[in-house]
């Protein structure tokens, strides 16, 4: 009887420890150039976040994650950082749930789930709207710090005439004759995109500028001010009402509401279930999360949806 009692006590302690600590201990991978570190300062989470700045030593970080028994990682937000951690997710059998990664390669790897659709879906939406605009020549401004994401936009040049340039800073555009293009597409983050729009407007005030979801941030609007008025954006619907940190909060809520015992259980759940977010119900397809991707325009300091006939 005493032995049975001890077994029951041990079982209770194991379950208690798992529910209150192990299941709530999650890796948090972020890059300080995005807003992901703001989520840490807001201290909204109920999870035990073990943080890793992607500028640090990836190997040591994931060894530490593994020693803690971590199976799930929130982030990173950028596809280039996703490529850094992919070998370690494979090695230590972990899954990442990211707010904004859209690299087709990463989302097809089986180690990443994201609240942003894959580039396959996003670029298809770009093709649709560019055809409706009747564009002639496009210039792609590709983020040199996030090539894993940006390079996939080169496929637009299989459909539309034009060229591309890798962007590090505004000087990257100094040799480009903007007037040769009727449309410029930016894959850069919000702060840099605001600088690019300002530069382009000094060269050609009539050229159409379209940003991707990478620039769909409050910083783009605040730093750009009146200069970014009439800039277009082709972005998933969930991005319209959520900042990066709010999307991270959705990732956190998913892991809080469903204390997954294993990565296999989480994969099964995401492949078969509809996800309840604050903005509505979503589900995962083989090409990533299913969302409407719409056309928006900066009007009166805000992104507002517009419709082309």
């Amino acid at each position: 009887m005493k032995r049975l009692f001890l077994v029951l006590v041990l079982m209770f302690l194991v379950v208690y420890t798992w529910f209150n600590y192990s299941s709530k201990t999650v890796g948090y991978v972020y890059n300080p150039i995005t807003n992901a570190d703001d989520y840490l300062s807001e201290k909204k989470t109920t999870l035990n976040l073990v943080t890793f700045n992607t500028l640090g030593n990836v190997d040591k970080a994931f060894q530490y994650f593994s020693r803690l028994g971590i199976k799930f990682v929130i982030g990173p937000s950028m596809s280039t950082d996703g490529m850094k951690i992919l070998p370690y997710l494979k090695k230590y059998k972990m899954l990442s749930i990211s707010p904004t990664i859209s690299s087709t390669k990463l989302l097809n790897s089986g180690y990443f789930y994201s609240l942003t659709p894959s580039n396959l879906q996003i670029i298809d939406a770009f093709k649709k709207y560019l055809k409706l605009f009747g564009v002639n020549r496009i210039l792609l401004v590709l983020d040199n710090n996030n090539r894993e994401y940006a390079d996939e936009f080169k496929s637009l040049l299989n459909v539309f005439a034009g060229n591309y340039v890798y962007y590090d800073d505004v000087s990257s555009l100094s040799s480009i004759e903007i007037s040769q293009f009727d449309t410029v597409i930016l894959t850069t983050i919000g702060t840099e995109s605001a600088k690019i729009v300002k530069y382009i407007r000094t060269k050609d005030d009539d050229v159409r500028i379209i940003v991707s979801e990478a620039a769909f941030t409050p910083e783009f609007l605040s730093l750009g001010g009146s200069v970014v008025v009439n800039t277009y954006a082709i972005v998933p619907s969930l991005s319209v009402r959520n900042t990066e940190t709010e999307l991270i909060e959705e990732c956190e809520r998913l892991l809080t509401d469903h204390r997954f015992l294993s990565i296999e259980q989480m994969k099964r759940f995401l492949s078969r279930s509809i996800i309840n977010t604050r903005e509505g119900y979503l589900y995962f397809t083989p090409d990533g999360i299913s969302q409407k991707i719409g056309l928006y325009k900066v009007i009166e300091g805000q992104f507002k949806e517009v419709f082309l006939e």
Side-chain angles (χ1 to χ4, degrees):
M1 187 69 181
K2 185 177 181 180
R3 182 176 297 177
L4 176 61
F5 175 75
L6 289 173
V7 169
L8 292 173
V9 169
L10 287 173
M11 288 176 62
F12 171 79
L13 290 174
V14 168
V15 172
Y16 179 86
T17 302
W18 177 84
F19 187 82
N20 288 283
Y21 182 76
S22 300
S23 71
K24 294 174 65 175
T25 302
V26 173
Y28 186 84
V29 179
Y30 71 98
N31 189 317
I33 73 169
T34 76
N35 293 324
D37 56 345
D38 292 345
Y39 186 72
L40 299 174
S41 62
E42 291 172 3
K43 297 180 180 178
K44 292 181 177 179
T45 183
T46 59
L47 297 174
N48 303 315
L49 296 181
V50 183
T51 62
F52 168 60
N53 180 329
T54 56
L55 302 181
N57 188 308
V58 186
D59 190 28
K60 287 184 178 179
F62 275 81
Q63 284 184 35
Y64 185 55
F65 286 174
S66 181
R67 286 200 300 270
L68 293 177
I70 288 174
K71 293 298 180 186
F72 305 103
V73 172
I74 294 177
S77 298
M78 297 174 66
S79 295
T80 189
D81 292 324
M83 283 302 296
K84 286 182 186 178
I85 73 167
L86 178 57
Y88 299 94
L89 295 175
K90 292 179 177 179
K91 180 178 180 179
Y92 295 108
K93 295 181 174 58
M94 299 178 190
L95 282 186
S96 162
I97 178 147
S98 167
T100 54
I101 276 179
S102 60
S103 159
T104 304
K105 180 177 180 179
L106 292 178
L107 297 183
N108 287 343
S109 71
Y111 290 89
F112 286 88
Y113 289 86
S114 177
L115 294 183
T116 296
S118 76
N119 277 345
L120 282 177
Q121 299 173 65
I122 292 170
I123 291 169
D124 278 347
F126 266 84
K127 291 175 183 176
K128 167 189 168 183
Y129 288 113
L130 291 176
K131 288 176 181 177
L132 288 173
F133 277 125
V135 304
N136 293 311
R137 284 181 57 80
I138 64 173
L139 174 66
L140 300 177
V141 181
L142 305 178
D143 189 344
N144 202 27
N145 293 314
N146 195 11
R147 285 198 181 192
E148 184 62 36
Y149 162 75
D151 275 352
E152 294 190 32
F153 282 80
K154 288 181 184 177
S155 64
L156 290 172
L157 296 174
N158 297 330
V159 180
F160 304 95
N163 206 344
Y164 70 88
V165 60
Y166 285 113
Y167 176 88
D168 290 301
D169 53 44
V170 173
S171 66
S172 304
L173 303 173
S174 60
S175 63
I176 303 296
E177 184 60 52
I178 301 297
S179 61
Q180 294 180 358
F181 308 94
D182 58 75
T183 302
V184 180
I185 296 169
L186 312 184
T187 68
T188 43
I189 62 174
T191 51
E192 295 305 316
S193 292
K195 296 176 187 176
I196 295 169
V197 174
K198 288 181 180 180
Y199 174 83
I200 290 174
R201 292 302 183 208
T202 65
K203 301 297 181 181
D204 187 339
D205 198 38
D206 294 323
V207 67
R208 182 187 299 108
I209 303 175
I210 307 175
V211 301
S212 70
E213 79 281 357
F216 207 83
T217 64
E219 289 80 10
F220 176 76
L221 297 174
S222 61
L223 291 174
S226 61
V227 175
V228 300
V229 169
N230 295 327
T231 299
Y232 289 94
I234 298 173
V235 296
S237 59
L238 196 60
S239 301
V240 176
R241 294 172 292 274
N242 290 268
T243 64
E244 180 188 4
T245 55
E246 288 168 331
L247 290 174
I248 292 170
E249 191 173 350
E250 291 290 352
C251 298
E252 183 266 344
R253 195 159 69 94
L254 175 65
L255 293 175
T256 300
D257 292 348
H258 306 279
R259 303 291 182 86
F260 300 109
L261 291 168
S262 66
I263 63 173
E264 290 77 15
Q265 183 192 17
M266 181 176 177
K267 285 183 175 183
R268 287 194 300 271
F269 174 82
L270 294 180
S271 68
R272 301 171 183 174
S273 304
I274 294 175
I275 309 301
N276 183 12
T277 73
R278 288 183 175 86
E279 303 300 336
Y281 292 95
L282 303 170
Y283 60 92
F284 284 89
T285 74
D287 293 325
I289 203 162
S290 175
Q291 283 189 51
K292 173 191 171 186
I293 299 171
L295 177 68
Y296 298 82
K297 189 176 184 179
V298 179
I299 301 171
E300 297 177 347
Q302 297 180 14
F303 285 107
K304 296 184 179 180
E305 190 168 12
V306 294
F307 301 92
L308 297 180
E309 297 297 333

